[in-house]
Amino acid sequence: MMIRYQKQVFLASLVLLAITKTAHAQRKPTVDTLRSYTLPTAETTGFVPAHGQKTRLDRKQLDRIQAQTLGETLSHIAGIQNASFGPNSGMPMIRSLSGSRVSVLSNGLSINDLSGISPNLNPNFDMDNLREIELYKGAATVLFGGKAIGGAVNVKDNTIPMNRLPKKIAGQANAELGTNNGNSQSLAFNANIGKYWVGHIGAMRLRHGNLKIPGNTKAAIAYDPKIDHLTAAMAQVNVDRETIRNLTLYPYLSQFVIEHMGDPKWGLSEADLYTFEDYSFINGSKVLNPQNDKYVAGQDPNTPLYTEVVHGITDYVPVKRGVMPNSHAERNAVNAGASYIRDNFQLGLGLYALESYYGIPGFAQRNKPVHSHTTVWTPIYEPINTRTYSYAWQVESAFKPKTQLISAIKFNYRGEVSDDRELLGRYRVNKFDSERHALRSEITQQFNPFWSGTSGIDFSFVALKGEGDRRYIPNNLSREGGIFTLQTIELNPITAHLGYRHDWVARRTLSDPTYQRSRGMAGGDLSARDFSLNHFSGDIKYSIFDIAYVQATFSHAERAPGINELYAGNDHFAILVEENGDDQLNKESSNSYELSAGVKYGGFKWSATHYRSFFKDYLYLAHTGISRSGGFLVKEWRASDTEIQGWELEGGYTYAWAADCHVALNVFADLVKNINTSDDNMRKWAEGDFMPNLPTSRYGMSVALQYKKFFGNVNFDRYLKQRYLGKNINIEPPMPAYSLLTGQLGYKVNIKRYEFVYFISGNNLLNVEARPQNSILKYLAPLPGRNISIGLKLLL
C-alpha cells in the first residue's frame, strides 16, 4: 500500500535535515531539553500492579547506548538479549522469548506487529524520536493481552508533547560520523503556540554501506568437512560429498541386478549390485548369486559399510573476508504533532512517516529448477533486502475529574498503514500491505488511601493483503479485544496486586485467488478461528525498613496463535525457510512463578530474581528434516510442552561528591533455559532437550563518570559458550564465547544560549568475532566489527 505523496514527504525530511548544517553527526534524541547526564543504568521505577518490576530507560540512557535497533538497545539489561537478524534488524528476547510473545507498543498501543511474524521487519518507529522505553519482564498479558505472554516493551516518543515548555522554543540537532556505521543526522523542535498549545516537528536520516567485520563472514563450521546437510543449508554452502562404499564387506553380487542393470524399466545402478544375500529371485525362481571377488572375509563387524569424502565446500555466493555482505541500510523519518494542554485536560495528535531500505546478510534463489533434457539449470542467488514505507497517526487524551473516586480517564487511538516488501536484489518476492487500528481506554480509581486500581478496555484490528507469486501468507485479518482490571492494596509493609483480563481473538483468511501454497502443511484448510483467553496475575511484596524487599509473583497467561502460525504456507525468503502453519493449533498457555529480593541502601543496590514458567502447547517452528532446492529448510508450526527457568542478578554502587560529579559501577549476570518437558518423540528427534538458538549465559559490568562538563562510560559484556544445546535434527554447534567492550567520552560547553555536546564513542572496541547463539543468522554473519564515531549535539 503506497501513499500518494510519499516522495514529497521524504523530500521535506531532507530539507529539514539540511537546516542543521551538520552533515555528519550523532544519532541522538529528538526532544530532550534537559542538559544534565544521569547515571548509566536502567532504572527500576517500582512495581507495576500485578506485573512485578517495570524497567525504564530515559532519553539520556538511550543516548549512551546509541543503538540502532530495539533489541540492541535493551540488551544490556539482565534477562534481555538481542534477537539479532543482521545489523539492521533486532528485537528484544526476554527470558528466551521473542517474536509474537513479546508485545511492542507505541505509547501503550499496539504498532505494526509484522516484526513478530518475520524477524527481518523492524517495528515502525524512529529510535531517534523516543522519549523513553518501558520494559516489562515476564508475562504482561493483564495489561496488554496475549501477545505479551513473554513480556512487553512500550516505546514512548516525543511527537505528541506532554508539557508546555519553560521557554517559547526548544530543540536540538544531532550529527554523527562513524568508521563502521555510516553517518546520521536528526533534529527536532518544540514550540509553545499561544496559551494552551505546544507543537513539535522532527526528522532523521541514516546511511551506511556494507559493514566491516574482523574475520570471515561465515562461522568456521561452514567450512568444516564434518558439517551436516541442514547446517550447511543454514550456512549457505555447497558441500561436494562423495560416498564411497566398502565393497570388500559384501560377499555376493546380485544376479538379478547383473541381468537387469541395462533395462531402464528397473532403474538399477552399480550401487545395487553388491549384496549380503546368497541368492536372488528371478521370474519366481531362486537363483544363486555369484561371489564378489573383492570380498575380504574376517573383517571387524563394526567396519562401516561406506565412508564419505568431502572434495570441497563452496559458498552459494562468493563472500569477501572482512566484509559483512549485504549489510547496507538507509532510513528516513519525519514526525509532527501538537497538544492542547490545560490543568485537567490534554488532547494531542501525532503524525509519523518512515521509510527504510536495508539488507539481510543472506542470499536466496530467485529462479526455480528447470526440468529439461537439453537445459542445464544453474541456480541464481540474489541478496535478501527489505523495504518499508509506514505512515501512522495517533491521538492521545487525558482527563482528570475533580473527584476523589476517579483520578484519571484516558483514551488513545492509533492508525497505521504500511507497505513491507521482501526483495531478492531488486526483485519483489513478497509485498504486504497492512492496515492497523488500535484503541485503548483506561480509568484510574482511588477507592481509599489503601486501595487503588486501573480498569480499561482495548481493541485492535489488522488487515493484511499481499502480492507476489512466492509470498508465504494469504490475505487475512485479525480482531482482538480485551477488558481488564488491576487492583492494588497497600498495608505497609505489605503491598499486594491482583489483575484479571479477558480477551476475544478472531483470525480469518480472505479470498485470495493469486496465493500459491507449498507442498507442505501450508496452513491446512485455512479455517476461520476464534479464541477466548483468560489472564490472571498476582503478587505480594514485603518491605523491610524501606531498604530491602522480598516479593513472590504468580501469573497465568494465554496466547492465540498468530496468522503465520495458523496460515503460513510457502517460501519465507527472509528466514530461508519454507514455513508451514497449522490452522488447527490450540491456544498457548503458561503458569509462571517468580521470586525476587533486593536491597537498596545509600549508594548501594542489589537484587536477585528466580523464575519458572510452565507452557502448555508451546508453539514453535519445528524442523522436518527436509531441505528444498536453494537451501530452504522445510519447517512446520507445532505445539509441545516447555519449561522456562532462569536467574537474574544485578548490583551497583554510586558515589557522588558534588552536584555535577559522580561515579557509578553496575554489574549483572543472567541465565535462562528453555527445556523440553513433553513426551513428543518428534520434538526430541528434531529439537532435542532444549530449544535451539537459546540465548547464552553472560555477565557484564559498566562504569560511568561525570566530572563537571566531562562525561564518559565504559560497558563490558561477556557472553559464555552455550552449555544447553538444542538440535537442528543434529546437535547445534555452540558458538565460541566472546566479549564486547563499548565506551563513550564527551564534553559539554555553553556558548551564549546554546549548549554544544561533543563526544567520541566506540562499539566492539576489541574487534572480536561475536556470534550470538540466539541469532538465526549466526552461521552467516557475526556482529559488526569495531566502530569509532564522532558526534555533535546542539541544544537550543
Side-chain angles (χ1 to χ4, degrees), residues 69-72 81-85 89-93 98-99 102 104 115-116 119 121-123:
T69 67
L70 189 59
E72 184 183 359
Q81 294 202 30
N82 181 18
S84 170
F85 202 78
S89 180
M91 294 295 290
M93 178 175 278
S98 62
V102 174
V104 178
S115 59
L121 298 173
N122 283 311

Side-chain angles (χ1 to χ4, degrees), residues 32-35 171-172 753-755 757 793-796:
D32 180 8
T33 57
L34 297 178
R35 303 185 181 185
Q172 64 183 41
R753 62 190 185 92
Y754 301 101
E755 180 176 286
V757 180
K793 177 167 69 173
L794 167 64
L795 297 108
L796 177 64

Side-chain angles (χ1 to χ4, degrees), residues 124-384:
N124 296 328
F125 59 82
D126 173 13
M127 291 293 295
D128 289 299
N129 187 39
L130 299 188
R131 182 174 80 251
E132 66 178 25
I133 297 176
E134 293 177 341
L135 169 67
Y136 301 80
K137 289 191 283 188
T141 52
V142 168
L143 281 174
F144 305 119
K147 289 182 180 178
I149 196 170
V153 179
N154 185 23
V155 295
K156 297 183 177 181
D157 61 46
N158 296 296
T159 304
I160 300 177
M162 295 290 101
N163 300 288
R164 287 181 57 79
L165 304 174
K167 55 185 180 180
K168 187 173 182 180
I169 297 177
Q172 64 183 41
N174 310 281
E176 177 188 3
L177 176 63
T179 60
N180 197 29
N181 71 344
N183 64 85
S184 61
Q185 305 86 43
S186 66
L187 60 81
F189 292 99
N190 275 24
N192 291 332
I193 304 171
K195 188 175 181 180
Y196 299 113
W197 289 90
V198 183
H200 163 85
I201 187 167
M204 67 80 63
R205 175 185 180 273
L206 166 70
R207 295 288 187 279
H208 68 71
N210 288 340
L211 301 178
K212 292 177 285 186
I213 53 177
N216 290 322
T217 184
K218 295 187 179 179
I221 186 66
Y223 306 108
D224 188 334
K226 298 179 182 178
I227 189 172
D228 64 85
H229 75 284
L230 288 179
T231 305
M234 291 186 285
Q236 299 202 329
V237 291
N238 296 305
V239 182
D240 182 9
R241 287 188 174 95
E242 180 185 4
T243 300
I244 301 176
R245 299 180 72 186
N246 188 348
L247 302 183
T248 66
L249 294 173
Y250 299 88
Y252 304 103
L253 301 177
S254 171
Q255 184 64 37
F256 180 87
V257 175
I258 293 173
E259 295 182 12
H260 295 86
M261 186 180 294
D263 189 345
K265 172 184 175 182
W266 297 98
L268 299 171
S269 67
E270 187 177 357
D272 304 301
L273 182 60
Y274 299 91
T275 180
F276 291 98
E277 302 296 332
D278 59 357
Y279 60 88
S280 299
F281 284 97
I282 301 176
N283 297 325
S285 300
K286 188 174 181 180
V287 179
L288 289 175
N289 286 328
Q291 291 187 347
N292 173 19
D293 58 6
K294 298 178 182 179
Y295 174 67
V296 176
Q299 297 188 61
D300 187 340
N302 295 321
T303 302
L305 295 175
Y306 63 89
T307 58
E308 220 174 44
V309 177
V310 174
H311 297 291
I313 299 177
T314 58
D315 297 300
Y316 287 2
V317 175
V319 293
K320 182 179 179 182
R321 181 179 176 85
V323 177
M324 188 188 306
N326 204 47
S327 53
H328 64 89
E330 302 175 14
R331 289 192 182 94
N332 302 296
V334 293
N335 50 83
S339 289
Y340 177 77
I341 302 173
R342 300 293 295 267
D343 291 340
N344 65 338
F345 177 75
Q346 181 174 336
L347 176 64
L349 171 66
L351 302 174
Y352 308 80
L354 180 144
E355 177 188 35
S356 63
Y357 173 63
Y358 53 88
I360 303 298
F363 301 85
Q365 282 184 12
R366 175 178 170 181
N367 57 340
K368 291 187 175 182
V370 176
H371 301 286
S372 171
H373 295 292
T374 60
T375 302
V376 177
W377 178 74
T378 301
I380 299 173
Y381 290 93
E382 299 278 2
I384 301 170

Side-chain angles (χ1 to χ4, degrees), residues 75 121 129 209 242-243 363-364 540 558 604 614 638 697-698:
S75 63
L121 298 173
N129 187 39
E242 180 185 4
T243 300
F363 301 85
I540 185 167
E558 299 178 350
F604 172 79
F614 300 89
R638 298 176 185 159
S697 301
R698 60 181 181 156

